[in-house]
Amino acid sequence: MAQFQFFDDMTSPSQGPQHIAKLRTEMARRGFDGFIVPRADEHQGEYVPKSAERMAWLTGFTGSAGTAVILQNEAALVVDGRYTVQAAEQVDTSVITPVQLTASTPEDWIAERLPAGGVLAYDPWLHTGDGLKRLERAVSRAGGKLAPVDINLVDVIWIDRPAPPQAPVRPHPLDYAGEAAPAKLERIRKKMAEAKLDALVISDPHNLAWAFNLRGGDVGHTPLPLGYAILPKEGRASLFFDPAKVTNEAGAAVGDLADFAPISTFQGALDALGQTGGKIRIDSATGAVALIRRIEATGGTVDVGADPIALMKAVKNEAEIAGSHAAHLRDGVAVARFLAWLDREAPSGKLTEIDAVEALEAFRIETGALRNVSFPSISGAGPNAALPHYRVTSSSNRALELNQIFLIDSGAQYEDGTTDITRTIIVGEPTAEMKDRFTRVLKGHIAIAQAVFPKGTTGAQIDSFARKPLWEAGLDFDHGTGHGIGSYLSVHEGPQRIAKTGHTPLEVGMMLSNEPGYYKPGAYGIRIENLILVEPRTIPGADREMMGFETLTFTPIDLRLVEPAIMTADEIAWLNAYHAAVREKIGPQLDAETRAWLENATQAIG
């Protein structure tokens, strides 16, 4: 079994009814008619520690997003399109009903189902201010009441709940960070001054890690130290962690900037902050209702808005960019070795989805620099490839069969950079339809890669570039075209993204993914993903400041799935130039056999 991947479900549907029955007993004991269980921790993170996997323990559902609403006589699990199939497979549908987000939001379901006069309980540490307002409106529509709890009801009944994580907090070297923490804090405080803030509560561990050049290991796939920080407009900051996690190296690195304090003292510090009567910024994206109420209760003025660190973190400096270049070349060699191996072994029919994941991880481990995979690899054969966020388990594991598509979406965490790459491969011979769809996805990918746009352009304005070749054939895909990327942090980083909802203007130094796709349910799926960097572009005669994208990922795109007849000469030139760059950059680092495979896999077409 590979080092970082886990293929078995955390719990089974058979446990769900027992756990939900226990929850209902606890609800009745406290006089509650319902309880809402979001798939979130106190920081609204994508990846949560085992101690916060309440959704998985209660229902059996292990996806990274969803909301369960448990009433005394019925229950729902609301998920988006990524998890429709997974939710139905993992939960006991006789007890909890999977609901597609497009059919009903959690709030709509509550408004329709909560009994008149009913009391819906919630944990104020797991909901943001905006989220609570939506809940309040829903409960009001139902004629019910909303009640906060002092302790999460799932925690009360989860007898063998894992202890909170205690991974060491360590400094992130300046060679990789590129900017010392004092300089970062000075920039943050300038933004605070512009907003007339007296203090900033940092509730997002990604922002805390970036601002103080710290890393940890409290959650899977992202090197996060879970904790909080309070940054006053002047003076020393306070960092709140479990004391057992704080290493001497971290203490020395933070130095005169901040004091480490036990996490048990955090709520008291919020009380003291409120008593100053100052204006306190709480992050609208990750700040829990509990933070807002604690400060307001002692006289503070809460300003709910964007944490200014998020946008600063999104714009990479020279050292972070250089680290990403190095990480992507290293990763490109590992993925090319994997693809060559796959071409040799897959036609035998003996490989499975799990075999492929473990092999790719082994090639990454052989780099000697892998710290973790950046997310659970999506390894889909045949119809499983049609599920954009499919996660293979021992029960769903399929063989890679001849004349079927295999899709693998994976990434790595290296100390100098975070990677994310998707390649779609044909095992055997593709159909004409497969080649048409693949080539349309490729045309959209190239359109993004070649895009040139003025300063101030948002990802929403660029998103349709990737869709046009599909739209022309009456096709589309139901996910965003690209997400932001962290620097040895989250593989999914905001606020930048290329999507219909991507309204943050792109800036030079931002990293994103470029990953259009196409999915034929029950048959196959296609996605082509490289990472890209926003860079300045000089256009002769231009009267605007212009930008474009540099491609960071270098690994072959499967030419057997390309139909040159529907590509323009410019698109063919881009693909040939890209493959020439792949040969130049990673070819010299491959053994003779793999290099020969690479030469064939990247030959010029047209």
Side-chain angles (χ1 to χ4, degrees):
M1 181 63 70
Q3 183 177 356
F4 299 113
Q5 298 285 349
F6 301 93
F7 303 107
D8 289 309
D9 300 334
M10 181 176 177
T11 186
S12 67
S14 62
Q15 295 173 294
Q18 301 170 28
H19 295 167
I20 290 174
K22 289 180 180 179
L23 177 61
R24 284 174 168 151
T25 299
E26 185 64 25
M27 287 160 47
R29 190 178 73 82
R30 294 170 181 258
F32 298 139
D33 298 282
F35 186 61
I36 186 165
V37 183
R39 200 284 181 179
D41 65 0
E42 294 82 350
H43 308 280
Q44 301 295 314
E46 177 180 8
Y47 300 114
V48 303
K50 292 181 180 179
S51 58
E53 287 280 11
R54 299 178 179 94
M55 173 77 78
W57 182 85
L58 182 67
T59 70
F61 173 65
T62 60
S64 64
T67 302
V69 185
I70 313 300
L71 303 181
Q72 286 295 352
N73 297 317
E74 59 182 327
L77 170 62
V78 183
V79 295
D80 61 39
R82 296 174 295 171
Y83 296 116
T84 303
V85 174
Q86 181 178 337
E89 291 177 345
Q90 289 187 318
V91 307
D92 187 327
T93 55
S94 68
V95 175
I96 186 166
T97 302
V99 176
Q100 290 192 44
L101 187 60
T102 53
S104 177
T105 65
E107 294 80 14
D108 287 340
W109 195 91
I110 290 167
E112 294 170 1
R113 306 300 180 97
L114 183 68
V119 179
L120 180 70
Y122 72 98
D123 183 345
W125 285 97
L126 303 185
H127 298 267
T128 64
D130 286 345
L132 183 65
K133 290 176 182 177
R134 292 193 297 270
L135 280 180
E136 289 172 338
R137 290 193 292 268
V139 170
S140 176
R141 285 164 55 193
K145 299 178 182 179
L146 200 58
V149 295
D150 294 329
I151 181 171
N152 192 291
L153 301 189
V154 174
D155 297 352
V156 173
I157 62 173
W158 190 358
I159 304 302
D160 57 349
R161 182 186 173 209
Q166 292 190 334
V169 179
R170 302 188 184 281
H172 186 49
L174 184 59
D175 286 349
Y176 299 136
E179 183 180 12
K184 290 181 176 181
L185 296 187
E186 183 178 353
R187 289 203 288 136
I188 296 166
R189 282 180 163 133
K190 285 182 179 178
K191 291 294 183 182
M192 291 170 59
E194 291 172 6
K196 296 180 172 56
L197 301 176
D198 294 292
L200 169 67
V201 176
I202 304 175
S203 53
D204 186 341
H206 302 83
N207 293 350
L208 189 160
W210 180 86
F212 292 92
N213 288 339
L214 299 171
R215 297 294 187 270
D218 284 337
V219 301
H221 312 298
T222 306
L224 284 183
L226 295 182
Y228 294 91
I230 295 176
L231 179 64
K233 63 181 180 182
E234 54 187 28
R236 294 169 66 82
S238 297
L239 306 183
F240 298 88
F241 292 109
D242 184 322
K245 292 162 45 171
V246 181
T247 61
N248 292 335
E249 295 86 353
V254 170
D256 296 331
L257 295 176
D259 295 313
F260 281 102
I263 190 67
S264 59
T265 67
F266 178 56
Q267 296 191 49
L270 292 174
D271 294 342
L273 191 61
Q275 289 167 3
T276 65
K279 183 180 177 184
I280 316 300
R281 171 65 57 87
I282 299 292
D283 182 22
S284 56
T286 66
V289 171
L291 304 179
I292 298 171
R293 290 184 171 167
R294 195 92 192 193
I295 293 170
E296 289 179 338
T298 54
T301 299
V302 172
D303 178 81
V304 178
D307 183 336
I309 298 172
L311 192 56
M312 296 180 187
K313 173 166 54 70
V315 178
K316 307 301 183 284
N317 59 45
E318 291 183 4
E320 291 171 322
I321 292 170
S324 183
H325 283 140
H328 278 90
L329 291 181
R330 182 187 310 118
D331 203 56
V333 170
V335 177
R337 293 181 64 202
F338 163 76
L339 292 175
W341 169 85
L342 190 75
D343 264 8
R344 293 193 302 269
E345 301 295 329
S348 70
K350 297 179 180 179
L351 290 185
T352 67
E353 295 165 338
I354 288 179
D355 292 333
V357 172
E358 293 184 333
L360 177 51
E361 188 169 296
F363 285 117
R364 283 182 165 131
I365 289 172
E366 288 179 10
T367 67
L370 184 68
R371 296 292 181 264
N372 205 328
V373 292
S374 55
F375 59 97
S377 297
I378 299 168
S379 175
N384 286 346
L387 305 173
H389 289 80
Y390 167 72
R391 184 181 177 188
V392 59
T393 66
S394 56
S395 59
S396 69
N397 191 24
R398 286 180 62 94
L400 277 62
E401 299 177 10
L402 276 176
N403 305 325
Q404 285 195 347
I405 274 176
F406 172 65
L407 183 152
I408 187 156
D409 185 348
S410 68
Q413 291 283 11
Y414 303 106
E415 198 169 12
D416 51 359
T418 301
T419 71
D420 184 3
I421 176 174
T422 307
R423 286 298 182 265
T424 303
I425 302 106
I426 185 65
V427 180
E429 295 296 325
T431 65
E433 180 186 276
M434 289 175 180
K435 293 181 69 173
D436 177 87
R437 303 307 191 249
F438 182 92
T439 306
R440 290 181 185 280
V441 171
L442 176 59
K443 286 163 68 74
H445 179 96
I446 294 171
I448 295 292
Q450 292 185 311
V452 179
F453 47 92
K455 183 177 176 62
T457 300
T458 67
Q461 293 172 282
I462 294 175
D463 180 74
S464 59
F465 292 15
R467 301 178 189 273
K468 182 175 180 291
L470 289 164
W471 287 348
E472 290 171 346
L475 311 169
D476 203 355
F477 55 96
D478 294 325
H479 55 75
T481 299
H483 54 81
I485 300 286
S487 180
Y488 192 45
L489 277 173
S490 177
V491 74
H492 300 130
E493 179 181 274
Q496 76 278 23
R497 59 191 316 227
I498 302 173
K500 296 172 184 177
T501 55
H503 302 304
T504 297
L506 301 183
E507 296 185 31
V508 170
M510 287 181 169
M511 291 181 187
L512 304 105
S513 65
N514 173 10
E515 50 179 313
Y518 171 75
Y519 309 93
K520 185 175 183 179
Y524 60 85
I526 294 163
R527 189 161 61 251
I528 304 170
E529 177 186 18
N530 287 341
L531 299 192
I532 52 180
L533 171 71
V534 182
E535 62 178 3
R537 285 289 168 85
T538 300
I539 308 295
D543 61 5
R544 303 284 180 93
E545 184 178 344
M546 303 297 290
M547 300 182 291
F549 295 119
E550 174 195 357
T551 294
L552 299 172
T553 308
F554 291 96
T555 298
I557 293 168
D558 195 342
L559 293 174
R560 295 166 297 192
L561 282 161
V562 174
E563 178 49 76
I566 62 172
M567 296 179 71
T568 66
D570 188 50
E571 290 166 344
I572 291 173
W574 182 94
L575 182 59
N576 287 338
Y578 175 74
H579 276 153
V582 170
R583 290 193 302 273
E584 177 187 350
K585 291 177 181 294
I586 70 173
Q589 302 179 60
L590 300 172
D591 60 88
E593 183 181 10
T594 307
R595 191 161 56 249
W597 171 87
L598 182 71
E599 290 289 336
N600 181 66
T602 60
Q603 59 186 303
I605 64 170

